[in-house]
Amino acid sequence: MPYLSPPLLAILLAPTLTAADFFIDAEAGDDNRDGTSATTAFKHSPGDPEATGNAATRSPAAGDRIRFKGGVIYPGGLVVAWSGAADKPVIIDGNTDGSFGKGRAICDGSRPVTGWTRCANAAEAGGNDHFQHLWKAKLPAGSTALGANLLQNGRTLCLAQYPTPTDYNFTDRWKEYVPTTAGQLKITSATHPILSELGGERLVGCYIQAYRSTNRVSMRKITAWDAATGGVSFDKLETEPYKDRGAIAVVNSAHSKVLDAPGEYVVFESEKDGPTVLLWPLDDKDPNTTGVTTAKMDIMFRLAYKAHDVHIVGFHIRNYQYGITNYVKGHWNNDEDRNARIRIANNDFERIRSTTNDRTAACYLIQAEDSHIEDNIVRDTYRARGFCLHTAWRCSIRRNTLTNIFGGPITFFITSASEIVGNRIGDSPATHTNGITVYEKSKDILVADNTVWNSNVAMTCENTENVIIRGNAFDSQAQSCQPLSFWHAVSGDVLVENNILLGGGDTASGFTIAGLNDKSGATFANMRTVVRDNIMTGPMLMVMSGKPWTNKVTAESNIYLATPTSYTLGTKERVESDLGKLVGGIPEHRYLRLGPK
């Protein structure tokens, strides 16, 4: 045997460190076990504040995997305070290989509401004439009207609203509200005959939704009633409302014209013995036997400051305010808090629902670096976004499917050298829900190969430098909106090529610039734009003037469905009003592959 020096011998004889697997079974696990096999699983995951015993002491390291049992509901939430390495991430796994349980592990932040009693008369139902349909129960302490987010057998219930929304997922669609005329809606008050009809003084403590300006609806608690004017007062709106028009809706009133349909409820927030909910159940079914639940948990996975090289994969995450985030209210992450190489993949986010007026998200990362959100599904959010990156570098949101999103499917704020690629975004027609949003000093952004249908504006951009928009199918016809809009302050090089950009309404354009923050186009003086090889409703337009925008614009080889008389076609540009001719006569724009697969 050849001679081995003591240092070399020590290296060869040292034990090999191997990655560990921790198994989590919320039904049959026990925190006092070792957690290292399916038969000795923990009940709680490391990082869960509810964990005890061995589960509470484990701290996963590089290469370790936390495996949640498929098909089992995990009711808690984790603080992910560990880090892996670039080649050995910590993996939090919802049964991606199918070997531990059946299907995905389910993370559920809701809790059952029990003890329902049927109302015997109108007095028990807050004066509601439909009392024979109504049931009451206590909610957890601290519950609020905006935060209850009730479900019945997994179906969305709606905080009672007048007029009744046509879709309980989109309660801010102001065109369904009661219209106001000049002087009726002000920054701290509203007057309208409907307010007396709906109870007058009894509206104090209820809420009002006010359509105040373009794409803006605000929710405010009613604080006072003025019998002389027939009006209500509330906290100041974010901006002065329109002087000549507006719209209002009354929310969370037990009046018979407000709580008037199955699936609606009211929360009495200030009762002495705790908040009470008054519910008209779906299908008039007994809520004691039909699985009514309320929101409870805030966050499923909270990434601690500086945690890096963590993968969260394969879960069904539902009924939280945030599915995954590193945001903590009251603390703004800085460079030292940065989370690097985070991967969020192959998860199914369902019913992520804000419990306040703030917009939460299925996944919201601040100060993220080299991180990727990919191959996920997000559906049925309420007052919540899909994915949001804020102050991020070299990140991507790619190949995700997002539908029925209330608060904006994909959003970048102050994000650089990043991409939004290959996503499918649809059926999100809330008032201020734009499919893709790139805002607030974002820079060097690629938006490519995405499909957006039936949202407000398919893509919006402002205060951004250098953006490539390539190979997308943006269809905003259903909402009578522009498919691509730059609101203000876009600079640098902008390339728009090989897209299908279809809009509706009076603006015959596939690409508009300027808006409420820029009525002249002055903030686009340093934008150099190339628009080529697109199929567009019409040419690039300055929306405030209604005239084509040609300042520092190269437009070539585009096909327009319509063109303003003041526009001169560029090189190899042409007009073809029959969209079917461009796509071989396929009806209903099926070439866009819009809607569900």
Side-chain angles (χ1 to χ4, degrees):
M1 179 178 180
Y3 170 76
L4 298 177
S5 66
L8 181 57
L9 184 60
I11 292 173
L12 291 175
L13 295 178
T16 302
L17 295 178
T18 59
D21 277 7
F22 298 101
F23 292 77
I24 314 301
D25 183 346
E27 287 183 345
D30 187 327
D31 287 356
N32 291 314
R33 297 173 178 165
D34 64 19
T36 59
S37 72
T39 58
T40 60
F42 294 141
K43 183 177 182 66
H44 296 91
S45 172
D48 189 330
E50 299 295 320
T52 60
N54 292 328
T57 64
R58 296 294 186 267
S59 183
D64 289 352
R65 183 185 298 263
I66 304 173
R67 303 179 60 179
F68 285 69
K69 190 171 184 177
V72 172
I73 294 177
Y74 192 86
L78 274 61
V79 177
V80 181
W82 337 287
S83 293
D87 59 340
K88 292 182 179 180
V90 172
I91 299 175
I92 307 173
D93 191 319
N95 194 36
T96 54
D97 67 3
S99 64
F100 183 38
K102 295 182 179 180
R104 296 176 186 268
I106 303 165
C107 305
D108 195 323
S110 66
R111 297 294 182 270
V113 180
T114 59
W116 293 93
T117 59
R118 188 191 290 270
C119 294
N121 50 54
E124 289 187 4
N128 193 297
D129 295 336
H130 309 295
F131 66 87
Q132 68 270 26
H133 299 285
L134 303 179
W135 298 69
K136 297 177 77 172
K138 302 306 292 185
L139 291 176
S143 295
T144 64
L146 298 184
N149 285 327
L150 295 188
L151 303 168
Q152 184 178 353
N153 276 345
R155 295 165 64 186
T156 298
L157 303 179
C158 182
L159 197 60
Q161 182 168 307
Y162 180 90
T164 300
T166 57
D167 187 330
Y168 287 171
N169 283 307
F170 300 106
T171 59
D172 71 336
R173 298 167 77 172
W174 63 269
K175 291 181 181 179
E176 299 177 355
Y177 291 4
V178 177
T180 59
T181 57
Q184 289 185 319
L185 179 60
K186 299 180 180 179
I187 197 165
T188 59
S189 65
T191 57
H192 194 283
I194 194 62
L195 298 172
S196 294
E197 187 178 330
L198 296 180
E201 188 174 4
R202 295 185 66 185
L203 292 176
V204 175
C206 302
Y207 291 81
I208 192 167
Q209 291 206 85
Y211 169 59
R212 57 182 170 83
S213 61
T214 302
N215 287 339
R216 301 289 184 178
V217 170
S218 296
M219 177 95 74
R220 292 290 186 272
K221 181 173 280 192
I222 296 171
T223 56
W225 165 254
D226 187 335
T229 63
V232 296
S233 298
F234 42 79
D235 288 342
K236 191 175 182 180
L237 301 175
E238 291 91 337
T239 61
E240 287 281 353
Y242 286 123
K243 300 295 184 183
D244 59 342
R245 65 191 187 279
I248 58 173
V250 171
V251 182
N252 198 45
S253 165
H255 192 281
S256 301
K257 288 188 176 181
V258 184
L259 177 53
D260 65 346
E264 296 182 343
Y265 63 94
V266 169
V267 176
F268 302 108
E269 298 173 323
S270 56
E271 292 196 356
K272 291 183 179 179
D273 58 345
T276 299
V277 61
L278 178 66
L279 169 67
W280 187 333
L282 291 168
D283 306 317
D284 272 323
K285 295 292 182 64
D286 183 343
N288 290 298
T289 61
T290 52
V292 176
T293 61
T294 184
K296 176 64 175 175
M297 299 294 295
D298 290 340
I299 300 168
M300 178 54 212
F301 296 105
R302 185 177 77 77
L303 294 160
Y305 310 135
K306 304 180 184 179
H308 57 85
D309 296 291
V310 175
H311 294 185
I312 302 173
V313 297
F315 287 90
H316 185 176
I317 303 171
R318 67 191 188 196
N319 304 325
Y320 290 85
Q321 280 206 74
Y322 293 90
I324 302 169
T325 189
N326 60 357
Y327 172 67
V328 176
K329 194 167 186 176
H331 176 94
W332 192 252
N333 295 9
N334 54 42
D335 283 349
E336 289 71 35
D337 299 328
R338 192 173 300 178
N339 297 103
R341 296 176 297 281
I342 305 299
R343 181 171 179 257
I344 313 299
N346 193 31
N347 300 287
D348 183 349
F349 298 88
E350 182 182 15
R351 296 191 300 268
I352 302 301
R353 308 172 74 78
S354 175
T355 61
T356 67
N357 267 324
D358 297 331
R359 292 192 177 188
T360 58
C363 182
Y364 183 19
L365 299 181
I366 304 173
Q367 291 283 351
E369 181 179 10
D370 294 313
S371 296
H372 306 289
I373 302 171
E374 55 194 11
D375 302 307
N376 302 282
I377 295 171
V378 186
R379 50 203 166 102
D380 301 330
T381 72
Y382 185 64
R383 292 199 301 271
R385 293 184 170 97
F387 300 129
C388 183
L389 293 180
H390 200 306
T391 323
W393 300 267
R394 298 185 303 274
C395 293
S396 69
I397 299 177
R398 57 198 182 196
R399 301 186 305 274
N400 303 283
T401 298
L402 305 97
T403 55
N404 289 323
I405 309 300
F406 185 104
I410 296 178
T411 302
F412 277 2
F413 294 124
I414 321 178
T415 293
S416 301
S418 296
E419 63 181 27
I420 301 169
V421 174
N423 301 283
R424 291 171 46 80
I425 301 167
D427 293 330
S428 300
T431 291
H432 198 63
T433 298
N434 301 318
I436 295 172
T437 299
V438 180
Y439 279 5
E440 300 303 328
K441 299 181 181 179
S442 291
K443 182 178 181 180
D444 302 327
I445 304 300
L446 172 65
V447 178
D449 302 323
N450 302 283
T451 300
V452 183
W453 72 95
N454 193 25
S455 67
N456 187 41
V457 179
M459 178 182 171
T460 62
C461 188
E462 68 179 32
N463 200 12
T464 292
E465 181 180 355
N466 301 337
V467 58
I468 296 173
I469 302 168
R470 174 185 290 141
N472 303 282
F474 292 161
D475 187 348
S476 293
Q477 296 174 102
Q479 299 302 313
S480 297
C481 292
Q482 304 88 35
L484 176 61
S485 293
F486 286 7
W487 298 138
H488 70 97
V490 179
S491 62
D493 294 312
V494 173
L495 174 62
V496 180
E497 68 174 0
N498 295 118
N499 302 283
I500 299 171
L501 305 175
L502 304 179
D506 298 330
T507 305
S509 175
F511 181 6
T512 59
I513 69 165
L516 297 178
N517 294 320
D518 180 358
K519 298 182 184 298
S520 67
T523 63
F524 298 90
N526 295 319
M527 181 176 74
R528 300 173 296 276
T529 311
V530 175
V531 184
R532 66 190 179 204
D533 297 311
N534 303 284
I535 297 174
M536 303 169 64
T537 297
M540 191 173 175
L541 199 69
M542 198 289 196
V543 71
M544 300 305 293
S545 69
K547 295 181 180 179
W549 180 260
T550 57
N551 184 26
K552 298 182 182 178
V553 175
T554 299
E556 58 188 23
S557 302
N558 299 296
I559 302 175
Y560 302 120
L561 305 184
T563 181
T565 55
S566 57
Y567 181 73
T568 300
L569 292 175
T571 303
K572 296 183 180 180
E573 290 192 318
R574 64 187 176 94
V575 177
E576 175 52 73
S577 59
D578 187 347
L579 184 61
K581 289 181 180 179
L582 301 175
V583 294
I586 299 175
E588 301 180 75
H589 314 327
R590 299 287 178 166
Y591 69 96
L592 290 178
R593 297 180 290 108
L594 303 187
K597 291 182 179 179

